[in-house]
Amino acid sequence: MNNDIKNGCHVMAKPTGSTCNLNCTYCFYLEKHKLYRESSKQFMDQYTLENYIRQHIEAQSADVVEFAWQGGEPTLAGLAFYKKAVELQKKYAGRKQIHNNLQTNGIIIDDLWCQFFKENNWLIGISIDGPMELHDIYRVNRSGKGSHQKVIKAVTLLKYYQIEFNILAVINNHNVKHPQKVYNYLKSLGTAHIQFIPLIERENRNAPSHELRLISPGFQPLSYVTSWSVEAKAYGQFLADVFTAWVEKDIGRVFIQLFDSLLGVWCGYPAQMCSFSERCGHAFALEANGDIYNCDHYVYPEHKLGNINETKIITINNSERAKQFANDKKLNLSTDCHFCPFLKVCHGGCPKHRFIASSSGQKNHNYFCEGYKIFFTRSAPYMKLMRNLINRGISPAELMNMTVQRE
């Protein structure tokens, strides 16, 4: 069997496209409706849904198949849509085990949704950027009102129904200044699993000048970013400060995706996060009409790989264009990356973030480079210690006792 087929692929399905019931200032996906202005199918229809369920299961050789539902806001597809999805998954699963996860802003989650999630063992991702005064700066509705109160209502319901959930926090120019406050608040919500997503949005030539900021993070300035984007150094310091708090109290109790992935790399395993993998690819974005793209961050016409109503996912996964996209990440590293001591840790980061000039003048250096170096430098001694503990068959949580003794 071909290795690509054997390894399968990941698909992030967007059954409502870019449609959302919030109007977050920083959302990069709202503009994707421009790709489908002429389409009458804004939400995924039953025909496309069935093709997706069947093909995605067929494309995986592993015994477990993961379905990821995102948006826009995926709950706008309606509860009946997901009941049909589960019915189709059972129809085509065979002996494979099906897992579902849904990333939501939580705005319309109620008892009926929670009963469905509980009955079908769904993992729910909740988007929240910190306490109300930080969350409500950018995560607002069409009237400009903050959404924090409704998100907390959803979190309360998820806990009441004992539904597994995790937190996804977008780190922007405001909450990045409050690492301890953000971290402590997210921990207090009742989940041990947290993800941090750094916000970086490049110049929109139609944006007012006051919404743009010239970037010059130690290298030659090449572009503008939006005012709500997080600065590289600030993000690195945010991660370093949260890591310090995590090392002192929360190893084995709180699971932060970036920290877990980094520890795995130190232990010799591939990165769990695609942004730090050696190669990209095979993690597709599926639009509501069946169009499939290289990546959630590359939903542009030039990165459209096909449509699942015309070409099967397994064929798209093994296409030369998909393979080339996967290999381009490694091939397009800046010169600075090749001489960086952290190359094996981050592999140049996400290609979408490679748009500043390096010290040698190349225009493909990662915007977050300086920030990552701050974090990698701070975490390296502790990662080495945890790796050594693991190699001796000891829980890395023992590092907390060692830290206390050193203090």
Side-chain angles (χ1 to χ4, degrees):
M1 180 178 287
N2 182 297
N3 283 337
D4 292 317
I5 296 174
K6 181 179 179 180
N7 292 335
C9 61
H10 177 76
V11 178
M12 181 186 294
K14 298 175 176 290
T16 62
S18 63
T19 305
C20 190
N21 49 5
L22 287 183
N23 192 28
C24 299
T25 308
Y26 58 58
C27 183
F28 75 95
Y29 219 82
L30 289 176
E31 66 175 15
K32 299 304 178 183
H33 75 277
K34 297 175 184 177
L35 292 173
Y36 299 100
R37 281 175 174 169
E38 307 301 322
S39 175
S40 60
K41 298 179 180 179
Q42 296 183 1
F43 287 6
M44 187 176 288
D45 60 27
Q46 295 292 309
Y47 177 72
T48 304
L49 175 63
E50 184 158 7
N51 280 339
Y52 169 51
I53 299 294
R54 183 182 67 253
Q55 291 179 27
H56 187 52
I57 293 172
E58 289 176 349
Q60 317 305 321
S61 62
D63 294 332
V64 177
V65 182
E66 302 279 350
F67 281 86
W69 307 94
Q70 295 206 17
E73 175 48 43
T75 58
L76 294 179
L79 194 51
F81 176 88
Y82 294 103
K83 288 181 178 179
K84 182 64 176 179
V86 170
E87 176 186 321
L88 291 169
Q89 289 170 347
K90 293 177 180 178
K91 176 180 178 181
Y92 293 110
R95 296 183 178 181
K96 295 180 179 179
Q97 186 177 356
I98 306 297
H99 290 174
N100 286 280
N101 64 78
L102 182 141
Q103 185 67 40
T104 176
N105 58 35
I107 300 302
I108 65 173
I109 298 298
D110 59 14
D111 289 279
L112 290 177
W113 278 101
C114 287
Q115 290 165 13
F116 170 78
F117 294 149
K118 184 64 176 179
E119 290 170 2
N120 294 282
N121 198 32
W122 281 39
L123 170 64
I124 306 302
I126 291 288
S127 296
I128 185 167
D129 293 350
M132 180 182 293
E133 65 271 21
L134 295 175
H135 175 93
D136 283 350
I137 293 174
Y138 293 131
R139 297 191 66 82
V140 297
N141 61 22
R142 300 290 175 183
S143 301
K145 295 181 180 180
S147 60
H148 185 270
Q149 187 174 354
K150 290 186 177 180
V151 179
I152 294 303
K153 180 180 177 182
V155 169
T156 302
L157 279 172
L158 292 172
K159 290 195 290 186
Y160 175 79
Y161 282 93
Q162 297 182 326
I163 296 165
E164 186 179 358
F165 71 99
N166 57 38
I167 294 294
L168 187 155
V170 175
I171 306 305
N172 55 63
N173 65 318
H174 283 290
N175 61 4
V176 73
K177 302 171 186 176
H178 308 280
Q180 198 68 50
K181 176 187 284 189
V182 170
Y183 180 50
N184 287 338
Y185 181 77
L186 297 182
K187 285 196 300 179
S188 75
L189 294 179
T191 177
H193 298 272
I194 300 172
Q195 298 179 46
F196 296 124
I197 305 296
L199 174 60
I200 176 64
E201 189 174 347
R202 294 182 65 185
E203 174 185 9
N204 175 353
R205 296 188 183 276
N206 296 321
S209 59
H210 71 273
E211 290 187 354
L212 301 177
R213 183 176 77 242
L214 179 66
I215 59 169
S216 180
F219 301 114
Q220 301 173 30
L222 178 68
S223 186
Y224 288 84
V225 296
T226 57
S227 60
W228 46 82
S229 294
V230 64
E231 293 183 347
K233 286 185 177 179
Y235 181 58
Q237 192 61 52
F238 174 93
L239 292 176
D241 289 349
V242 171
F243 181 82
T244 297
W246 179 78
V247 164
E248 291 176 352
K249 299 179 180 179
D250 295 324
I251 301 174
R253 300 168 186 167
V254 178
F255 301 90
I256 298 175
Q257 184 190 43
L258 175 55
F259 301 170
D260 290 346
S261 179
L262 183 59
L263 179 57
V265 171
W266 274 94
C267 291
Y269 296 99
Q272 298 173 19
M273 297 174 61
C274 61
S275 56
F276 293 146
S277 297
E278 186 174 11
R279 290 178 172 82
C280 279
H282 311 289
F284 306 118
L286 176 68
E287 280 294 324
N289 72 335
D291 286 348
I292 196 163
Y293 294 83
N294 281 123
C295 169
D296 180 43
H297 291 285
Y298 285 87
V299 179
Y300 301 104
E302 62 269 28
H303 287 283
K304 178 182 170 182
L305 298 173
N307 186 290
I308 64 169
N309 294 322
E310 301 167 356
T311 307
K312 288 186 175 183
I313 291 175
I314 196 168
T315 302
I316 292 172
N317 186 38
N318 291 304
S319 67
E320 289 304 315
R321 288 184 64 197
K323 294 176 184 177
Q324 186 61 52
F325 183 83
N327 291 326
D328 281 347
K329 178 179 182 179
K330 184 177 181 179
L331 296 174
N332 295 331
L333 284 172
S334 72
T335 302
D336 292 46
C337 289
H338 286 291
F339 296 98
C340 178
F342 298 115
L343 174 60
K344 292 184 178 180
V345 176
C346 83
H347 296 288
C350 177
K352 187 68 174 180
H353 300 155
R354 296 178 184 176
F355 60 85
I356 67 170
S358 68
S359 58
S360 59
Q362 289 181 291
K363 299 179 180 180
N364 62 336
H365 200 72
N366 196 298
Y367 170 84
F368 286 110
C369 176
E370 285 196 311
Y372 286 145
K373 285 180 177 178
I374 291 171
F375 168 58
F376 293 149
T377 300
R378 173 79 67 85
S379 61
Y382 300 95
M383 288 292 173
K384 291 178 182 177
L385 288 170
M386 286 189 286
R387 178 194 61 192
N388 293 340
L389 287 170
I390 291 171
N391 288 341
R392 292 163 53 195
I394 301 172
S395 169
E398 286 300 312
L399 179 61
M400 293 186 290
N401 296 328
M402 296 167 62
T403 303
V404 171
Q405 291 174 5
R406 282 199 300 272
E407 294 174 349

